Amino acid sequence: MSIIDLIKTTTPRYETFLPSTGEKTFFRPFNVKEQKHLLLAEQEEKESVILKSICEIVEKCVDEVETASMLSVSDLEYLFCKVRAKSVSEVIHPTFTCPHTNEQVKIEVDLNDIEVKSSTDSGKKTIQVNDSLSLTLRNPIVLDYIILGDDATTDQLAAFCIENIKTSDEVFEGSEISKEEKIEIIENLTAKTYEKIEQFIKDQPRVTSKCQYRTSDGKIREINVSGFKDFFV
């Protein structure tokens, strides 16, 4: 057996699960070469580039994840945090601006304490536009964000997520409707209906961790760290 093969076969493996399904899986820490790719992606400071890099890491390190871009964002975030915890450190120290004092604060986040929180009940949402028209939306996946890029709007994301449109006598599958038509449909909804779509997008599951910190005025405050950018440290 070669030295490289020996290193690969003796790399530790850990058990975890996919939050959306509860399905058990295993993963290994990322190696130095893979870490360098992550650092290069971080320097780009583009969400789409970072997402692609995280997808590559998860595909290489987590069993049975062949196309990470087809996962929900929360599943990808959760798996990446688990891999990162065993690869570098189980604790990260992100910096943010306190909304109360406007000072820069560094906090400590234990990646073992992260959880996935969501207000959505299932992978789909049917929104009734009127008595004869309804839209069914699926949950966004990582690929949607990668394709749309860093300037993605709620309109564009919602358009990507239209699974079908039902009228009183016909069903139009989302795959049969062009992206431009979907966006036009979204833009012609009433403000009340659009608010429901905005809420559906806002309520998507995300990895979060509640952290305490002390500001210069001596007060102990709390913040919810959420989203892959906060954990990509």
Side-chain angles (χ1 to χ4, degrees):
M1 180 182 291
S2 70
I3 295 175
I4 298 300
D5 289 338
L6 181 61
I7 291 174
K8 290 181 177 180
T9 56
T10 56
T11 299
R13 285 164 55 79
Y14 304 91
E15 182 179 322
T16 188
F17 65 93
L18 206 62
S20 63
T21 64
E23 183 180 351
K24 183 172 70 174
T25 188
F26 294 88
F27 68 92
R28 65 164 174 83
F30 53 69
N31 58 36
V32 173
K33 182 179 179 180
E34 291 160 348
Q35 185 180 23
K36 287 180 180 178
H37 286 299
L38 278 175
L39 294 175
L40 288 173
E42 184 178 12
Q43 292 172 10
E44 290 271 352
E45 297 184 346
K46 292 183 178 180
E47 289 188 13
S48 56
V49 174
I50 293 174
L51 276 174
K52 287 179 183 178
S53 183
I54 292 176
C55 284
E56 290 176 5
I57 289 292
V58 169
E59 289 169 0
K60 291 176 180 177
C61 297
V62 183
D63 291 357
E64 298 175 6
V65 178
E66 296 181 358
T67 311
S69 61
M70 300 304 290
L71 296 173
S72 68
V73 174
S74 58
D75 278 349
L76 183 74
E77 290 172 341
Y78 185 85
L79 292 175
F80 174 72
C81 285
K82 292 301 178 182
V83 173
R84 198 260 184 219
K86 297 301 184 183
S87 304
V88 182
S89 172
E90 295 182 349
V91 176
I92 59 175
H93 297 90
T95 301
F96 72 101
T97 301
C98 175
H100 305 283
T101 65
N102 290 321
E103 63 187 283
Q104 287 290 302
V105 180
K106 180 178 285 189
I107 59 175
E108 181 174 289
V109 181
D110 189 334
L111 293 177
N112 293 309
D113 295 335
I114 63 170
E115 40 184 0
V116 175
K117 289 191 175 181
S118 169
S119 302
T120 54
D121 298 324
S122 67
K124 297 180 183 180
K125 173 76 172 180
T126 298
I127 296 175
Q128 200 69 37
V129 178
N130 53 48
D131 292 340
S132 58
L133 181 65
S134 65
L135 303 177
T136 298
L137 305 176
R138 60 164 174 79
N139 279 345
I141 59 174
V142 175
L143 184 61
D144 296 328
Y145 292 92
I146 291 175
I147 292 175
L148 289 173
D150 297 350
D151 299 322
T153 64
T154 300
D155 294 2
Q156 293 171 324
L157 186 56
F160 262 54
C161 295
I162 293 178
E163 189 167 89
N164 63 57
I165 300 174
K166 294 182 180 180
T167 66
S168 54
D169 55 5
E170 197 170 359
V171 178
F172 299 90
E173 297 298 331
S175 57
E176 301 171 353
I177 308 171
S178 71
K179 175 185 173 182
E180 292 73 23
E181 287 180 298
K182 290 178 181 178
I183 292 176
E184 188 175 358
I185 290 168
I186 297 294
E187 291 177 338
N188 278 278
L189 297 174
T190 63
K192 187 175 182 179
T193 301
Y194 184 72
E195 283 178 8
K196 296 178 183 178
I197 293 176
E198 279 190 311
Q199 195 63 47
F200 172 72
I201 298 297
K202 181 181 178 182
D203 287 343
Q204 288 302 301
R206 299 306 294 260
V207 168
T208 66
S209 180
K210 183 174 287 188
C211 302
Q212 289 189 332
Y213 63 97
R214 185 189 298 272
T215 46
S216 57
D217 57 8
K219 291 186 178 180
I220 302 296
R221 306 180 188 275
E222 280 191 348
I223 186 172
N224 279 319
V225 180
S226 177
F228 70 90
K229 290 204 319 187
D230 285 343
F231 295 106
F232 196 79
V233 178

